[in-house]
C-alpha cells in the first residue's frame, strides 16, 4: 500500500526517471555494438598483417641474410612500450641490410609470390632500397653503405603510395658505426643493443653532404691527413668529443670558426 501511495504522489517523477534510465541504456547498447565491431575488425587486420609479415620473414630466412631492425616505430612499439609483436600492424617495416646481402635481389625478382621494387642511385651505380610487397604488406630493406665512420642510407628514387611514410629513404640518413652492435633474441631479426640510444640518434640522423670540391681543395692545400700533428691536434679530439657527446645524448653543432669556414669533411 505504501508503494502505491508513493507512486500516486510521485508518478510523474518516477515515470520520468524510468524514461531517462531506458534512454541511457538503449543509447549505450547502440554505441556498444560498433565498438565491439571495431575491436573485431582491428584484431582481424592485425592477424592478417602479422601473417603477411611472417610469410615474408620465412622466405627471407631461407636466403640467410641478417635483417637489422631500424624501423623507429616498431622499435618503440616492441622495446619502449613493450607490446607483443604478434599484434603489430603497420603497412611498411624497415630493416637494414649490408652491401654483401644485395645478391638476394636476383632470387626475389624471380619469385612470383612477391612484388619487388628496387631503388637505385641517380647514376644507376648501386642499389639503395628493396621493397618487397605481399598482400599489401611491405618489407623495406634499406642498404647500409659503409663509410669511414658511419653507414649511409641514401634517399629512395622510387615513388611509393601516398599513404606510406618512410622512416629511412625519405632523405639521406646515417647510422653511426658505434651503433652496429645488434642482438637477436626470440624475434626473426636483429635489433639495436641500446634501443633508447638508437631512437635518440634517429632524430638527428639526417645526413647533410658537405662541399666535397672545397673540402678536397683545402685538404690538398694544407696537407690534411698527411700531417700527423694536425690529425692529433684537431681530428682525433673531434672524433672523441663526438663519441662522448653522443653517448651522453647531447646535441651539439659547429657554431663558427676556421673549421666551419673551411667546410672540411671527416
Amino acid at each position: 500500500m505504501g508503494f502505491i501511495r508513493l507512486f500516486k504522489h510521485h508518478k510523474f517523477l518516477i515515470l520520468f526517471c524510468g524514461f531517462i534510465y531506458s534512454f541511457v541504456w538503449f543509447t549505450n547498447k547502440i554505441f556498444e555494438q560498433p565498438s565491439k565491431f571495431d575491436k573485431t575488425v582491428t584484431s582481424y587486420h592485425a592477424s592478417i598483417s602479422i601473417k603477411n609479415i611472417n610469410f615474408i620473414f620465412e622466405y627471407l630466412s631461407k636466403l640467410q641474410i641478417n635483417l637489422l631492425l631500424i624501423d623507429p616505430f616498431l622499435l618503440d612499439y616492441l622495446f619502449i612500450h613493450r607490446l607483443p609483436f604478434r599484434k603489430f600492424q603497420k603497412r611498411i617495416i624497415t630493416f637494414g641490410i649490408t652491401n654483401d646481402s644485395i645478391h638476394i635481389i636476383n632470387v626475389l625478382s624471380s619469385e612470383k609470390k612477391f612484388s619487388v621494387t628496387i631503388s637505385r642511385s641517380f647514376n644507376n651505380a648501386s642499389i639503395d632500397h628493396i621493397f618487397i610487397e605481399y598482400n599489401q604488406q611491405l618489407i623495406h630493406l634499406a642498404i647500409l653503405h659503409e663509410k669511414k665512420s658511419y653507414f649511409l642510407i641514401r634517399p629512395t628514387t622510387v615513388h611509393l603510395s601516398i599513404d606510406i611514410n618512410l622512416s629511412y629513404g625519405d632523405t639521406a640518413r646515417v647510422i653511426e658505426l658505434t651503433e652496429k652492435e645488434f642482438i637477436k633474441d626470440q624475434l626473426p631479426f636483429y635489433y639495436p643493443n641500446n634501443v633508447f640510444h638508437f631512437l635518440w640518434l634517429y632524430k638527428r640522423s639526417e645526413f647533410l653532404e658537405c662541399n666535397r670540391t672545397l673540402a678536397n681543395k683545402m685538404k690538398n692545400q694544407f696537407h690534411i691527413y698527411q700531417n700527423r700533428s694536425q690529425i692529433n691536434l684537431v681530428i682525433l679530439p673531434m672524433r672523441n668529443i663526438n663519441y662522448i657527446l653522443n653517448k651522453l645524448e647531447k646535441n651539439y653543432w659547429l657554431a663558427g670558426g676556421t673549421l666551419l669556414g673551411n667546410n672540411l669533411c671527416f
Side-chain angles (χ1 to χ4, degrees):
M1 294 295 291
F3 174 77
I4 296 175
R5 190 180 300 112
L6 179 65
F7 180 78
K8 287 182 179 179
H9 284 84
H10 303 283
K11 62 182 178 180
F12 291 107
L13 178 61
I14 294 173
L15 290 173
F16 177 76
C17 291
F19 171 77
I20 293 298
Y21 173 82
S22 300
F23 176 78
V24 172
W25 180 86
F26 184 71
T27 303
N28 286 337
K29 286 298 181 181
I30 291 177
F31 286 99
E32 184 181 0
Q33 294 303 319
S35 176
K36 288 182 178 179
F37 176 76
D38 290 342
K39 290 179 181 178
T40 302
V41 170
T42 302
S43 176
Y44 172 77
H45 283 303
S47 175
I48 295 298
S49 177
I50 202 65
K51 285 181 179 178
N52 293 334
I53 293 171
N54 284 332
F55 183 83
I56 301 175
F57 281 162
E58 288 176 7
Y59 185 86
L60 292 177
S61 67
K62 298 176 183 177
L63 302 180
Q64 297 181 340
I65 63 169
N66 294 326
L67 295 176
L68 313 177
L69 178 61
I70 58 176
D71 191 304
F73 184 90
L74 182 52
L75 286 170
D76 182 77
Y77 177 92
L78 292 176
F79 303 104
I80 307 302
H81 291 90
R82 300 289 179 180
L83 298 173
F85 181 60
R86 67 180 181 276
K87 294 185 178 180
F88 179 75
Q89 55 175 328
K90 183 172 177 276
R91 188 176 176 195
I92 184 169
I93 307 176
T94 299
F95 296 89
I97 62 172
T98 52
N99 270 307
D100 56 5
S101 298
I102 295 182
H103 66 276
I104 67 169
I105 193 62
N106 297 324
V107 181
L108 289 171
S109 298
S110 62
E111 180 56 65
K112 297 181 179 180
K113 297 186 182 73
F114 307 120
S115 173
V116 180
T117 304
I118 303 170
S119 172
R120 295 180 179 272
S121 301
F122 288 105
N123 58 8
N124 209 36
S126 63
I127 296 175
D128 295 326
H129 300 272
I130 303 172
F131 299 93
I132 307 168
E133 184 172 5
Y134 174 75
N135 282 352
Q136 298 187 326
Q137 178 66 51
L138 277 165
I139 295 296
H140 171 206
L141 305 180
I143 311 302
L144 306 178
H145 299 284
E146 187 169 353
K147 304 297 181 179
K148 288 183 179 179
S149 59
Y150 57 86
F151 289 112
L152 174 64
I153 299 178
R154 299 191 181 107
T156 181
T157 57
V158 301
H159 298 286
L160 301 172
S161 175
I162 58 174
D163 64 330
I164 295 177
N165 295 318
L166 289 177
S167 51
Y168 287 91
D170 55 335
T171 185
R173 293 185 181 276
V174 297
I175 295 176
E176 299 195 7
L177 289 179
T178 55
E179 295 301 307
K180 66 181 179 180
E181 184 181 352
F182 285 77
I183 58 179
K184 190 173 184 179
D185 196 359
Q186 301 299 320
L187 297 168
F189 46 76
Y190 291 82
Y191 56 88
N193 184 42
N194 188 337
V195 172
F196 286 91
H197 189 63
F198 188 91
L199 292 176
W200 178 82
L201 286 173
Y202 171 75
K203 295 176 183 178
R204 54 192 295 271
S205 64
E206 184 175 351
F207 179 73
L208 301 177
E209 183 67 71
C210 70
N211 187 329
R212 290 286 175 183
T213 302
L214 176 59
N216 290 333
K217 178 182 177 181
M218 299 302 295
K219 182 174 68 174
N220 294 329
Q221 181 178 346
F222 294 100
H223 306 290
I224 299 173
Y225 297 117
Q226 299 176 19
N227 188 323
R228 175 58 58 181
S229 63
Q230 286 184 340
I231 293 176
N232 293 334
L233 181 65
V234 179
I235 298 175
L236 294 182
M238 284 189 61
R239 287 177 176 169
N240 290 334
I241 291 172
N242 170 72
Y243 176 81
I244 293 170
L245 291 177
N246 278 348
K247 286 297 181 182
L248 296 174
E249 298 186 356
K250 300 297 182 182
N251 293 314
Y252 64 94
W253 57 90
L254 288 175
T258 304
L259 187 61
L260 184 61
N262 285 340
N263 195 21
L264 299 180
C265 306
F266 297 101

